[in-house]
């Protein structure tokens, strides 16, 4: 008898653990949607393809509310227009409802379409702490033929940084001179502190030699390159999840809460810039992300 009672208890404990894991996974997915780390269409696809996925168990109301700029009023109107009951879960939508919701999403959140044609000038940007520097360094090590641009900066070298290798370390007057002489392809003040810029000469030279050139720069710089070199391929590096980016941004917990909040606000704004880019690459694994970036250039073996 005692056995009969304990088995269901164990089952119940396991079931409630699973339910808790599910809830956590759904909450994390909702943050990814809100912060634009994941496209809504990708979540829907997952829900439709795998009835047992976390996405499939998400309520359609929660899904809509997690999308950027959708409030309760809008949510209710959309559900009514699409003929979807608010108690439905994504995995439980009928064929027609799936098509209707997908069409609505495609209109409201146009899917990211990679551009036609590839360039040998690649620009790698993305939110702070996503790991651009690490991916760029990996690309340099594994692709000796590719030219990784060395930026000029007014900040001081960190331990181990070598002038001419990691950066050209300049004082303010030297940086001003480069600007005046038109020697910078782009430049910007980053984090309201120091100036950074891409020397034009080495980039032109490497391109003339038929090499692929990679610029690892901030968003403002990427926008300037878009203006001055419209054919450049702009790559936006995404974190695998919002929670992962938060970890990388504030993981060590050495910042006060104000600084923490400031960084998260910045990351959110930066993520919103992804639609301006030609390609999105997810940095879940450095080697894979590095390979994905290199394959986007016209000079790479595909
Ligand atoms: P760090 O000081 O940590 O090396 O770099 C800080 C930020 O400056 C990074 O986000 C990096 O992408 C950006 N950065 C580095 N070089 C350039 C550059 O030449 N132009 C622009 N616009 N940003 C740069």
């Amino acid at each position: 008898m005692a056995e009969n009672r304990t088995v269901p208890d164990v089952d119940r404990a396991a079931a409630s653990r699973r339910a808790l894991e599910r809830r956590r996974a759904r909450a994390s997915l909702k943050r990814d949607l809100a912060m634009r780390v994941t496209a809504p269409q990708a979540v829907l696809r997952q829900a439709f393809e795998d009835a047992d996925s976390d996405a499939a168990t998400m309520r359609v109301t929660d899904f809509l509310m997690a999308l950027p700029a959708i409030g309760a009023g809008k949510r209710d109107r959309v559900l009514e227009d699409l003929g979807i009951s608010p108690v439905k879960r994504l995995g439980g939508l009928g064929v027609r409802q799936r098509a209707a919701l997908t069409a609505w999403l495609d209109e409201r959140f146009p899917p990211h379409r990679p551009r036609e044609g590839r360039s040998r000038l690649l620009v790698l940007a993305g939110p702070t702490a996503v790991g651009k520097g690490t991916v760029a360094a990996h690309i340099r090590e594994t692709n000796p033929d590719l030219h990784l641009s060395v930026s000029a900066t007014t900040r001081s070298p960190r331990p181990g940084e070598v002038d001419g290798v990691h950066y050209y370390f300049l004082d303010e007057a030297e940086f001003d001179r480069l600007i005046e002489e038109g020697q910078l392809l782009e430049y910007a003040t980053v984090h309201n502190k120091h100036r950074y810029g891409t020397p034009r000469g080495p980039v032109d030279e490497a391109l003339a030699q038929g090499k692929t050139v990679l610029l690892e720069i901030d968003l403002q710089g990427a926008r300037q390159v878009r203006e001055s070199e419209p054919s450049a391929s702009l790559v936006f590096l995404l974190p695998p999840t919002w929670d992962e980016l938060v970890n990388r941004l504030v993981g060590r917990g050495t910042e006060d809460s104000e600084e923490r909040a400031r960084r998260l606000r910045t990351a959110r704004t930066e993520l919103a810039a992804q639609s301006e880019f030609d390609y999105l690459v997810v940095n879940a694994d450095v080697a894979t992300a590095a390979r994905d970036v290199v394959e986007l250039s016209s000079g790479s073996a595909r």
Side-chain angles (χ1 to χ4, degrees):
M1 290 297 273
E3 238 179 279
N4 280 346
R5 274 202 308 275
T6 50
V7 173
D9 275 353
V10 170
D11 280 354
R12 259 202 304 279
S16 78
R17 235 187 353 262
R18 271 200 304 278
L20 181 66
E21 277 163 18
R22 280 280 196 207
R23 270 203 300 281
R24 283 208 183 116
R26 281 198 298 267
S28 158
L29 211 49
K30 281 189 252 174
R31 288 192 288 275
D32 293 347
L33 283 167
M35 300 302 175
R36 303 171 203 262
V37 169
T38 299
Q41 288 90 337
V43 173
L44 265 201
R45 251 193 320 276
Q46 197 193 357
F48 297 164
E49 282 168 10
D50 179 1
D52 192 41
S53 60
D54 298 322
T57 63
M58 191 186 286
R59 281 191 195 283
V60 67
T61 43
D62 289 344
F63 172 71
L64 289 176
M65 287 295 274
L67 302 180
I70 303 282
K74 179 82 190 164
R75 172 199 63 191
D76 295 344
R77 277 196 304 281
V78 170
L79 287 177
E80 202 180 322
D81 287 352
L82 302 181
I84 298 176
S85 153
V87 301
K88 286 273 185 186
R89 292 181 188 265
L90 292 182
L93 296 178
V95 177
R96 237 174 300 160
Q97 292 173 327
R98 291 179 179 203
L101 185 54
T102 306
W104 178 80
L105 282 176
D106 284 350
E107 193 167 319
R108 172 104 199 184
F109 303 93
H112 195 270
R113 299 210 188 285
R115 66 141 85 190
E116 299 278 314
R118 292 155 191 244
S119 160
R120 275 188 292 106
L121 180 56
L122 288 176
V123 176
L124 181 65
T128 312
V130 74
K132 282 173 292 174
T134 318
V135 170
H138 193 276
I139 291 174
R140 178 170 48 192
E141 280 161 26
T142 48
N143 297 270
D145 290 346
L146 178 144
H147 176 83
L148 179 61
S149 162
V150 178
S151 299
T153 181
T154 56
R155 85 152 160 79
S156 319
R158 295 186 188 126
E161 283 184 336
V162 179
D163 188 42
V165 176
H166 298 96
Y167 282 106
Y168 294 105
F169 296 99
L170 309 181
D171 62 26
E172 299 290 341
E174 288 167 325
F175 201 94
D176 283 339
R177 191 176 57 78
L178 289 186
I179 297 173
E180 276 159 28
E181 292 175 355
Q183 291 197 43
L184 296 180
L185 182 58
E186 59 75 36
Y187 61 92
T189 302
V190 179
H191 300 321
N192 292 324
K193 266 197 193 140
H194 304 292
R195 289 188 291 172
Y196 296 79
T198 304
R200 189 189 292 275
V203 172
D204 289 345
E205 212 172 289
L207 287 173
Q209 289 169 3
K211 291 186 177 171
T212 292
V213 175
L214 180 68
L215 313 183
E216 185 256 293
I217 58 179
D218 86 322
L219 282 172
Q220 312 166 71
R223 291 184 175 124
Q224 291 174 41
V225 176
R226 162 107 303 159
E227 287 291 308
S228 60
E229 309 282 338
S231 67
S233 290
L234 267 56
V235 187
F236 193 89
L237 201 60
L238 278 171
T241 64
W242 168 255
D243 292 349
E244 178 62 33
L245 186 68
V246 171
N247 261 337
R248 294 180 197 175
L249 265 174
V250 295
R252 281 160 299 159
T254 46
E255 309 79 16
D256 57 29
S257 63
E258 202 175 303
E259 171 63 13
R260 213 181 117 93
R262 193 189 63 77
R263 288 190 186 192
L264 297 184
R265 270 198 311 276
T266 306
R268 189 180 188 149
T269 317
E270 289 170 335
L271 281 167
Q274 63 184 271
S275 55
E276 300 168 36
F277 282 69
D278 302 313
Y279 304 101
L280 306 178
V281 168
V282 178
N283 184 21
D285 161 76
V286 173
T288 310
R291 198 199 55 217
D292 290 350
V293 172
V294 172
E295 282 183 356
L296 293 174
S297 84
S298 64
S300 69
R302 266 169 272 155

